[in-house]
Amino acid sequence: MADLFSKFDALIEQREALLSTGLTDPFNLVMERVESPTVAICNGRRTILLGTYNYMGMTFDPDVVAAGKQALDEFGSGTTGSRVLNGTYQGHRECEAALRDFYAMDHAMVFSTGYQANLGIISTIAGKDDYIILDIDSHASIYDGCALGNAQIVPFRHNDVEALEKRLRRLPPEAGKLVVLEGVYSMLGDTAPLKEMVSVSKAAGAMVLVDEAHSMGFIGENGRGVAEAQGVIDDVDFIIGTFSKSVGTVGGFCVSNHPKFEILRLVCRPYVFTASLPPSVVATAATSIRKLMHGRAKRDHLWENSKRLHAGLKALGFTLGTDEPQSAIIAVIMPDLEKGAAMWEALLHEGLYVNLARPPATPANMTLLRCSLCAEHTEEQVGEILGMFEAAGRATGCIN
Ligand SMILES: Cc1ncc(COP(=O)(O)O)c(C=O)c1O
């Protein structure tokens, strides 16, 4: 019998070699208690959280928590059904209304995760004989959406407007085309040149989908994302987002002004063939989204945090993913996985949690320590974080 697990042998060996040095498993951390959006107890000790996607710190917002509790009492723990059968409650409709108001768009469709939103929308709207033109550094859920459908896939170099234009020019002019972009690329925290990319896409007759998972709530005048910040939101056909980051719960969505959008509720398999979100989750999401409409002060503070951390890490001698802070993600580039894992553990011992990211999730085979800031991090906490990076960096030889 051929062992179907033999394909994982190299990964198992690499993992065992890393853990045999006595290193704490960076992919198995348990948060024993979570005290706030920025502090948890890990291995019995107070740990500052700098590796969550809780950008706007909504997880402990009293109104959000109260809405979830009330929905749990009034509607029970789950819907036990698909959105198209018994799984649409009043709360799902209210959540979609909140999204329409947040984006000032005509249609909103809530999925059970952001992953499923990409899977569903991409695989459903781009069919046989259509083309999907996507940034090569796209998120796994975008690639999986492509794999689930049967359109032709045309990747182009990361954030390269000319490469996108060249690819578009080579495609049959009459063919259906969907250009898929992200507002913020989550590994390095860099933003896309959406203004130029949307313009060349439209000139080539393509529809445009932008995944704003890491920018919704934070970037743009009203927190609508990078497309809003760069003034092209009205030219974007579909915006994908998630509730698992700035919104502070779980779920995904697509918003659009396309007049035929609602038909997707009947033909999009990852929407139809899965259970809908629990009432407590959509209640927390709707409340959070409505509060994010008035989140200007939080957005400003998060930008301050991002600038302070970026400048501080640079001054300490770390190599960062972007020259300037472009989002709430600051990526620290490590020389290799061993050093990255050692630095990750040293930070944890200091009382700081960051994300260790490695290939294949990262571009160019990089090992990264990804720092995601929160609007609830105080100025003092950012100072503490920099002190921890300095101590861990020196202890591991990552900086002098
Ligand atoms: C760019 C991007 N899109 C989609 C998702 C999926 O979101 P969710 O966690 O809601 O499945 C993520 C999650 O990390 C992401 O980074």
Side-chain angles (χ1 to χ4, degrees):
M1 181 186 74
D3 183 2
L4 295 170
F5 277 60
S6 57
K7 57 176 92 55
F8 309 122
D9 285 350
L11 183 61
I12 291 169
E13 257 171 54
Q14 186 198 44
R15 191 175 144 76
E16 280 173 356
L18 202 64
L19 296 182
S20 70
T21 61
L23 188 88
T24 313
D25 185 351
F27 306 111
N28 211 4
L29 181 87
V30 176
M31 300 203 186
E32 290 132 24
R33 215 171 62 233
V34 180
E35 295 189 344
S36 73
T38 61
V39 174
I41 305 297
C42 304
N43 301 319
R45 96 170 278 209
R46 174 186 178 268
T47 304
I48 296 183
L49 300 174
L50 192 66
T52 75
Y53 298 129
N54 201 353
Y55 300 124
M56 296 295 279
M58 299 306 281
T59 50
F60 281 80
D61 180 279
D63 297 328
V64 169
V65 173
K69 284 180 178 165
Q70 190 182 340
L72 197 55
D73 285 343
E74 292 179 3
F75 291 91
S77 57
T79 68
T80 74
S82 157
R83 285 297 305 275
V84 290
L85 296 173
N86 55 311
T88 296
Y89 287 13
Q90 187 58 25
H92 297 81
R93 285 296 166 90
E94 282 168 13
C95 196
E96 286 170 345
L99 282 166
R100 285 195 301 272
D101 290 347
F102 184 90
Y103 283 99
M105 286 204 184
D106 295 341
H107 305 281
M109 197 166 154
V110 166
F111 289 76
S112 297
T113 63
Y115 177 90
Q116 282 162 291
N118 270 330
L119 211 58
I121 296 292
I122 294 171
S123 65
T124 307
I125 61 178
K128 192 172 167 296
D129 301 327
D130 295 332
Y131 291 86
I132 297 172
I133 306 94
L134 83 173
D135 187 294
I136 198 151
D137 286 353
S138 292
H139 188 259
S141 57
I142 292 174
Y143 275 105
D144 292 358
C146 295
L148 188 65
N150 42 21
Q152 303 238 33
I153 312 306
V154 183
F156 66 90
R157 215 170 81 135
H158 178 56
N159 270 351
D160 188 331
V161 182
E162 249 176 62
L164 167 62
E165 197 169 18
K166 223 185 266 174
R167 297 285 182 283
L168 284 166
R169 232 185 286 129
R170 279 198 215 132
L171 301 178
E174 71 289 353
K177 304 176 200 78
L178 178 68
V179 172
V180 179
L181 306 166
E182 292 178 35
V184 170
Y185 285 85
S186 65
M187 286 299 135
L188 295 178
D190 54 332
T191 52
L194 288 186
K195 194 171 164 40
E196 294 79 7
M197 288 186 154
V198 170
S199 164
V200 301
S201 303
K202 290 280 139 177
M207 285 189 163
V208 178
L209 178 152
V210 180
D211 181 334
E212 297 270 20
H214 293 273
S215 34
M216 185 229 182
F218 171 37
I219 296 181
E221 171 90 4
N222 299 289
R224 292 175 186 154
V226 177
E228 180 187 35
Q230 296 188 13
V232 289
I233 195 160
D234 292 340
D235 297 324
V236 170
D237 298 277
F238 309 97
I239 291 179
I240 295 281
T242 174
F243 298 159
S244 71
K245 307 193 195 302
S246 286
V247 177
T249 176
V250 68
F253 65 87
C254 180
V255 291
S256 174
N257 283 328
H258 196 292
K260 298 179 188 167
F261 186 78
E262 294 297 322
I263 195 62
L264 291 176
R265 294 189 197 271
L266 296 182
V267 293
C268 179
R269 295 167 70 87
Y271 178 85
V272 175
F273 293 103
T274 196
S276 65
L277 288 168
S280 54
V281 168
V282 281
T284 55
T287 307
S288 178
I289 291 162
R290 293 213 178 270
K291 288 197 88 166
L292 289 174
M293 289 186 213
H294 311 284
R296 178 82 47 89
K298 277 193 165 206
R299 288 192 266 282
D300 291 348
H301 181 69
L302 184 49
W303 271 122
E304 286 308 314
N305 282 347
S306 177
K307 287 177 196 161
R308 200 173 292 130
L309 185 67
H310 190 282
L313 289 173
K314 210 168 168 179
L316 285 172
F318 288 102
T319 308
L320 305 182
T322 56
D323 288 342
E324 300 296 329
Q326 296 182 19
S327 68
I329 302 169
I330 312 283
V332 183
I333 302 173
M334 292 285 110
D336 52 45
L337 180 60
E338 286 68 28
K339 262 276 196 273
M343 179 74 187
W344 178 88
E345 186 176 53
L347 285 171
L348 191 64
H349 287 163
E350 289 287 325
L352 182 67
Y353 173 73
V354 298
N355 283 150
L356 178 67
R358 59 166 200 187
T362 52
N365 275 330
M366 280 190 263
T367 297
L368 303 170
L369 292 179
R370 288 166 62 240
C371 308
S372 317
L373 285 149
C374 175
E376 294 292 319
H377 282 125
T378 61
E379 193 176 339
E380 294 70 41
Q381 280 178 321
V382 177
E384 239 185 297
I385 290 166
L386 285 168
M388 291 167 173
F389 259 96
E390 182 169 14
R394 293 201 200 293
T396 55
C398 287
I399 53 169
N400 301 314

